[in-house]
Amino acid sequence: MNPAAPFLPVLILIALASVVAVAILALSGWLLPKLKPNNPQDAKLLPFECGVPPVQEGARHRYSVKFYLVAMLFILFDVEAAFLLPWAVTYKAHAWTFWAMLSFMATLLVGFIYAWGKGALDWER
Amino acid sequence: METLASLLHTSPATAWMAVKVLMAFGLIMGIAPPLTWAERRGSAMIQDRIGPNRAALFGKIRILGLVQALADGVKFFFKEDLVPPHANKRLFWLAPLLAFVPAMLGFAVIPMGRSFLSGGTEYHLSLLDPGNGMGMLFPMAVGAMAVYGILVAAWSSNNKWAILGGMRASAQMVSYEVGLSLAVIAIFMVTGGYDPHEIVKAQQGTFLGVLPNWYVFRQPFGFLVFFVCMFAEANRLPFDFAEGESEIVAGFHIEYGSMKFALIGLAEYGHILGASALITTMYLGGWGIPFVADHGQIPVIVTFLVFLTKVIALCLVFIWVRWTLPRFRYDQLMNLGWKKLLPISMANLLYFAYRMRG
């Protein structure tokens, strides 16, 4: 049997959702515009900033979102989860792997405690 | 099943597939608009207001203002569809699509009722039959896709509020994904598989003699983490930093209007439904009736209704929480995610692993 066959209904659902979304956007964007109001004005076309004219052109400046560290930590722990998933489903049959897994978790835990102690998790720093 | 298939001139398997796909799609598209109404009426009830009660069909049929959902839909179609000149046109049109499609996959692999035999074949009330090795990994993967819709909407809008909202949303989703996946691993470990059918089966019967054998009672701390993370993943209050009306006006969808906005709104309610379905399946016994160990004699429709009741009850909890709790501050959100939920879910996982050790 085709290995993709069980996923066919899911693929059909994705296709259905995409088609419906495109149809709605097409209806609203191309078929109905004759029926709906269309009177752009200068003030209306400005970026909305609570009624105040924008100070700078565009909005793609640098923001301090402190995203870098969060993203690094996320990758660490998400990879941990990715390692744990195949272990978790077979754990029932291989219960002796607990200590092996604990050594892996403990390594990560040490890193986590280090990051915490260093203040990497403090947002307002 | 055979009669339906012969009416459509197809094989029973194909007919059943069509039914399943339409159910998974129709449930979300069908429940989301009444949910917007429930949200507005619920908020009005909680805040001692009246809420929408004026819209009426032919000036008569009001159904407690439920017609308002219909009126909103029509109104969205006839609103001015403004694409601001400072936006990236293509991405601006693409973003509602990217937000909408993952939200509609909320029920994709969730078993919505008991599997049944008909004409010697077993039919499953879920898009993914058991035994293909993916199971619950799919909704988690799709849930992570949701952030793209928000980010693309935020970036293409080229508006300061929007970009701030998008940045917040991405950092938030990333932070809560970690605790979420560790909480879920504890479930997979105890069940011994990713399969939602197995997870539901493992929750039948009684626990400690007095409680249903649900994971919410067997792993209360895992449930707590998962539940909180689901609020964050669905961008709901107290974690709706992507929108934050009082801080960044409307966040990532500030420049959107007309049907593009409606798609983003539908996606939000789709995420609530998807999150409720996930919580139901993972922790509240899925389609299982509490205390019943053997569902062999119970009609399929009853199990489906049990599933639907649990999902809708959870949706109402989402609404209830939204209008009860104030919004967090951003550093509180990060503290909660990294310093509380992550250690709790780790300890939860280690505790259950230790109990099962050889």
Side-chain angles (χ1 to χ4, degrees), chain B residues 13-321:
Chain B
T14 317
W16 182 238
M17 194 161 80
V19 169
K20 284 193 298 192
V21 170
L22 286 179
M23 260 175 72
F25 189 67
L27 268 181
I28 291 187
M29 286 299 269
I31 300 178
L35 207 57
T36 63
W37 168 80
E39 170 114 55
R40 296 171 68 185
R41 291 292 285 199
S43 70
M45 244 162 75
I46 288 169
Q47 298 176 337
D48 203 9
R49 296 185 282 114
I50 297 172
N53 67 345
R54 294 285 148 169
L57 280 177
F58 314 113
K60 271 185 198 137
I61 309 161
R62 290 192 183 178
I63 338 172
L64 291 170
L66 189 56
V67 185
Q68 185 75 42
L70 195 70
D72 280 345
V74 175
K75 188 191 75 176
F76 274 129
F77 267 112
F78 292 98
K79 279 283 179 187
E80 183 176 4
D81 209 344
L82 202 68
V83 180
H86 50 91
N88 289 38
K89 297 264 167 345
R90 283 196 197 125
L91 289 182
F92 196 76
W93 279 97
L94 183 68
L97 200 79
L98 282 181
F100 181 78
V101 173
M104 290 303 121
L105 301 180
F107 283 1
V109 300
I110 308 285
M112 295 178 273
R114 180 169 78 81
S115 304
F116 58 95
L117 282 163
S118 168
T121 338
E122 192 171 29
Y123 294 97
H124 303 282
L125 215 66
S126 107
L127 292 198
L128 214 53
D129 289 348
N132 57 50
M134 186 164 75
M136 292 312 264
L137 294 182
F138 180 77
M140 290 176 64
V142 168
M145 291 284 292
V147 75
Y148 288 106
I150 294 179
L151 263 184
V152 171
W155 184 257
S156 66
S157 295
N158 200 0
N159 178 308
K160 285 169 191 130
W161 301 130
I163 290 184
L164 274 177
M167 291 292 176
R168 284 168 160 207
S170 55
Q172 168 191 339
M173 290 228 180
V174 151
S175 298
Y176 279 71
E177 192 113 334
V178 174
L180 177 81
S181 44
L182 284 179
V184 167
I185 286 172
I187 298 278
F188 293 155
M189 192 177 71
V190 173
T191 313
Y194 302 130
D195 213 311
H197 299 268
E198 280 175 44
I199 292 172
V200 171
K201 283 229 172 66
Q203 299 182 67
Q204 291 168 353
T206 49
F207 176 60
L208 297 178
V210 285
L211 292 168
N213 195 18
W214 293 349
Y215 280 129
V216 58
F217 300 118
R218 282 154 69 189
Q219 301 192 2
F221 289 101
F223 172 74
L224 191 75
V225 172
F226 190 81
F227 192 63
V228 172
C229 288
M230 272 297 145
F231 276 82
E233 296 276 308
N235 272 319
R236 288 289 289 186
L237 235 91
F239 305 114
D240 74 334
F241 291 89
E243 291 174 34
E245 300 93 339
S246 51
E247 306 159 10
I248 49 173
V249 203
F252 69 98
H253 58 56
I254 186 168
E255 298 281 5
Y256 279 88
S258 187
M259 221 44 211
K260 292 203 282 299
F261 172 76
L263 280 188
I264 292 176
L266 266 180
E268 254 173 59
Y269 286 92
H271 280 303
I272 296 175
L273 278 162
S276 304
L278 261 185
I279 296 171
T280 304
T281 307
M282 302 287 262
Y283 287 95
L284 299 178
W287 45 261
I289 302 166
F291 305 111
V292 176
D294 182 19
H295 287 73
Q297 300 304 316
I298 290 161
V300 180
I301 188 78
V302 173
T303 58
F304 175 66
L305 288 178
V306 166
F307 170 78
L308 211 58
T309 312
K310 287 176 184 174
V311 168
I312 289 174
L314 269 172
C315 289
L316 296 180
V317 170
F318 269 80
I319 290 169
W320 179 22
V321 168

Side-chain angles (χ1 to χ4, degrees), chain A residues 28 36 44 59-60 91 122, chain B residues 79-81 155 158 339 353:
Chain A
S28 160
K36 43 179 158 188
K44 205 192 261 181
R60 286 158 195 166
Y91 183 53
D122 293 327
Chain B
K79 279 283 179 187
E80 183 176 4
D81 209 344
W155 184 257
N158 200 0
K339 293 186 178 172

